[in-house]
Amino acid sequence: MAAGRTRYLVSYDISDAKRLRQVHKTVKNFGWPMQYSVFICDLDPVEMLILKRDVGDIIHHGEDSVAFINLGPPAHRGRECFDFMGIRAALPTSGPTVI
């Protein structure tokens, strides 16, 4: 039986412009950008390990910060964990986007 997908909010603060671009490109391969450094990623456990490995290979662990926030299963009807002010970002409905 395959493991289910989990929705993560991935956010980062990278101090170097080159690493910032590399992290952005990497995370974009796994999810949908909400803002430049904030992504929604629906991942299974293996994809999460790959994302963390790939990002970990790029960042400077003493200068940069990356947060992986578990939001639970991808959105179900009636379950909305986002509240917006201003323009509401379009959220993914679910499913893999790993490239």
Side-chain angles (χ1 to χ4, degrees), residues 2-20:
R5 303 185 84 68
T6 301
R7 178 161 287 182
Y8 294 92
L9 180 77
V10 180
S11 179
Y12 51 83
D13 185 13
I14 309 298
S15 62
D16 173 78
K18 181 180 176 184
R19 291 194 309 270
L20 176 65

Side-chain angles (χ1 to χ4, degrees), residues 10-24 27 37 52 54-68:
V10 180
S11 179
Y12 51 83
D13 185 13
I14 309 298
S15 62
D16 173 78
K18 181 180 176 184
R19 291 194 309 270
L20 176 65
R21 288 188 301 276
Q22 290 174 324
V23 169
H24 181 81
V27 179
S37 63
K52 285 184 173 181
D54 292 354
V55 169
D57 288 346
I58 297 167
I59 69 168
H60 184 291
H61 292 263
E63 296 177 8
D64 302 330
S65 175
V66 182
F68 300 91

Side-chain angles (χ1 to χ4, degrees), residues 23-33 39 41 51 97 99:
V23 169
H24 181 81
K25 182 178 178 181
T26 299
V27 179
K28 192 172 181 180
N29 287 333
F30 288 85
W32 300 269
F39 284 77
C41 302
L51 175 58
T97 62
I99 297 172

Side-chain angles (χ1 to χ4, degrees), residues 7 32 34 40 75 80-84 88-94:
R7 178 161 287 182
W32 300 269
M34 289 185 66
I40 297 295
E80 183 64 59
C81 59
F82 291 89
D83 188 17
F84 292 92
R88 185 185 196 287
L91 298 173
T93 56
S94 179

